[in-house]
């Protein structure tokens, strides 16, 4: 899954249309590099980030979804807003990726009657404050329970289990130790019985381990993606598609899986 952010901090200068054009070129490059899903996001979920208005997020994201849906790879939209979910589905999105696990009022309603896949992610707290003092008695148990509870809410609303993807939410209200515990226990997230998506690419845990700034975390990120897949993750959300695809081809070759 290739990350395509359409936020002012992700592309420098030249306004909304320039950012959309840059994102479109990036999407084409990601597809050529072997991405299987494009994940389009219009709101930065960086810890401490300010939220954007619904109209601004729609303006950033929907034209891109319209351009890319129906193309060679499915389009995912990374949003917590029910209005953006509805518009994304109308524009042809195949997956809604909600870091808030469809907990916003109206989010379940917005997605339940579509046939899109739904990614349910674990987060402790909210993006603005989640990294201040994350605390768990047992991070693996608590993340698993929370994911199962959110999946149950979707099921009660009539969402077929085949539509669900779960994500432990690396870095979302978690210390390095919490993130490492979750990566070590990937089999227990997999045991929930749904495809597992993980986002480790360039995250601060990679910085904490390697001592490198965000622009120098390629090697650490590829290693983390490999480990997650080897331990059973199905989808890796990454910035560096070509390098990650190469690494996973090596893994598949060793494991005897043709690709
Ligand atoms: C700044 C800090 C900007 C962190 C962006 C982020 C995930 C996600 C994100 C994830 C799923 C990033 C995050 N992370 N969606 N959206 N899983 N499903 O590093 O881990 O891209 S935003």
């Amino acid at each position: 899954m290739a990350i395509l952010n359409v936020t002012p901090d992700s592309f420098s200068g030249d306004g909304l249309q320039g950012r959309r054009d840059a994102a479109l070129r990036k999407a084409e490059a990601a597809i050529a590099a072997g991405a299987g899903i494009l994940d389009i996001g219009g709101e930065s979920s960086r810890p401490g980030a300010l939220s954007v208005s619904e109209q601004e997020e729609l303006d950033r994201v929907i034209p891109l979804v319209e351009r890319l849906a129906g193309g060679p790879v499915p389009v995912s939209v990374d949003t917590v807003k029910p209005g953006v979910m509805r518009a994304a589905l109308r524009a042809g999105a195949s997956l809604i990726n909600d870091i808030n696990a469809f907990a916003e009022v109206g989010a379940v309603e917005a997605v339940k009657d579509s046939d899109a896949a739904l990614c349910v992610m674990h987060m402790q707290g909210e993006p603005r404050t989640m990294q201040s003092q994350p605390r768990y008695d047992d991070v693996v148990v608590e993340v698993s329970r929370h994911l199962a509870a959110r999946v149950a809410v979707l099921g009660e609303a009539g969402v077929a289990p085949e539509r669900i993807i779960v994500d432990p939410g690396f870095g979302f209200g978690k210390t390095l130790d919490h993130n490492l515990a979750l990566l070590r226990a990937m089999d227990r997230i997999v045991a929930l019985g749904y495809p597992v998506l993980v986002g480790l690419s360039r995250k601060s845990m990679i910085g904490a381990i390697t001592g490198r700034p965000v622009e120098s975390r390629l090697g650490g990120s590829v290693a983390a993606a490999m480990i997650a897949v080897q331990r059973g993750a199905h989808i890796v959300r990454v910035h560096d598609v070509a390098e990650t695809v190469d690494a996973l081809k090596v893994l598949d070759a060793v494991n005897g899986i043709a690709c």
Side-chain angles (χ1 to χ4, degrees), residues 151-168:
V151 166
V153 168
L154 289 169
E156 282 154 24
V159 172
E162 295 77 24
R163 291 175 56 196
I164 304 231
I165 297 167
V166 296
D167 182 339

Side-chain angles (χ1 to χ4, degrees), residues 120 142-155 166 192 194:
V120 173
E142 288 170 47
V143 167
S144 302
R145 280 204 188 127
H146 175 268
L147 290 174
R150 295 308 303 162
V151 166
V153 168
L154 289 169
V166 296
L192 291 169
Y194 302 92

